[in-house]
Amino acid sequence: MERDEGPESVPHRFAQAWNRGDADGIAELFAPDADFVNVVGLWWHDRESIRNAHEYGLRVIFPGSTMRVSGVRSRMLGTEAAVVHCRWSVSGQVLPDGSPSGRRGGVFTFVLSRSDTGWTAVAAQNTDRVSGAESLARHEGGPSPVDYR
């Protein structure tokens, strides 16, 4: 990372690595002992696990997909830490049978630490947006979106 890049650069760098199909590039954004929670609650506890999960995902679930980030907002926590949120969208996911899936979107949260080399993610959580839903409810077959309005 360039030393003069701010914390807002991390989501953009994540998307750039994603769009290259570069799991190593994604992993480089994270501290060796970082945590990452994906959209279905899978939780990886170190850079290597984060790298392996993204290598698999980019190869099997999202080959050739495109990620875009927008609405990036950061909040400094003192001078050496920040929380960054952004909206994301992904197109190009494939279903298990190989057929195309529709475009998805969500919100990313990154917790970042500043070092001499730049900003590093110590934790990240990825959440899907579900249109028209306020919560999830448990039904037979698993959780499904619900709206109380």
Side-chain angles (χ1 to χ4, degrees), residues 47-67:
R47 180 189 293 151
E48 188 62 23
S49 297
I50 294 166
R51 184 223 158 292
N52 292 343
H54 284 88
E55 187 281 324
Y56 172 83
L58 290 166
R59 181 173 41 85
V60 174
I61 303 168
F62 302 100
S65 64
T66 301
M67 175 181 279

Side-chain angles (χ1 to χ4, degrees), residues 91-113:
S91 57
Q93 178 177 348
V94 296
L95 298 172
D97 67 4
S99 63
S101 176
R103 185 173 163 264
R104 289 178 39 208
V107 176
F108 241 131
T109 303
F110 293 93
V111 179
L112 306 172
S113 175

